[in-house]
Amino acid sequence: MVSRASLVLLAIATELSELAKTSLPKLRKGEQVQREWFENATLYRETTLDGQKIITQFNFLHRKTLVEEGNANV
């Protein structure tokens, strides 16, 4: 049986996840998600586009998004 506290925490986590994902920029044509992960109050999304790696971050504490486009081919 799932406790009420667990259900509340799951609802909050789901809402925060949606907030982060809607705050990230839309994927460009041909851009592919390689992985997503959460670390130190930040949601990271790694994508590739035309052989370049792109790391997008959403910081929950500051509610800001940062995009870093790499020059190295993947």
Side-chain angles (χ1 to χ4, degrees), residues 20 23-25 42-46 54-60 62-69:
S23 297
L24 294 176
T42 301
L43 174 70
Y44 293 87
R45 180 175 71 190
E46 179 181 305
I54 302 162
I55 304 284
T56 306
Q57 306 171 24
F58 177 77
N59 184 293
F60 286 95
H62 303 287
R63 297 198 178 195
K64 291 186 178 180
T65 301
L66 173 67
V67 178
E68 297 176 15
E69 296 196 27

Side-chain angles (χ1 to χ4, degrees), residues 4 17 26 31 35 48-49 52 55 61-62 68 70:
R4 285 187 187 182
S17 174
K26 300 261 186 234
E31 189 173 4
R35 64 185 180 135
T48 56
L49 178 64
Q52 289 194 331
I55 304 284
L61 300 177
H62 303 287
E68 297 176 15

Side-chain angles (χ1 to χ4, degrees), residues 26-34 46-55 69-74:
K26 300 261 186 234
L27 293 176
R28 294 172 273 190
K29 186 175 182 175
E31 189 173 4
Q32 296 182 332
V33 176
Q34 300 302 307
E46 179 181 305
T47 60
T48 56
L49 178 64
D50 297 329
Q52 289 194 331
K53 180 168 50 172
I54 302 162
I55 304 284
E69 296 196 27
N71 294 328
N73 287 339
V74 223

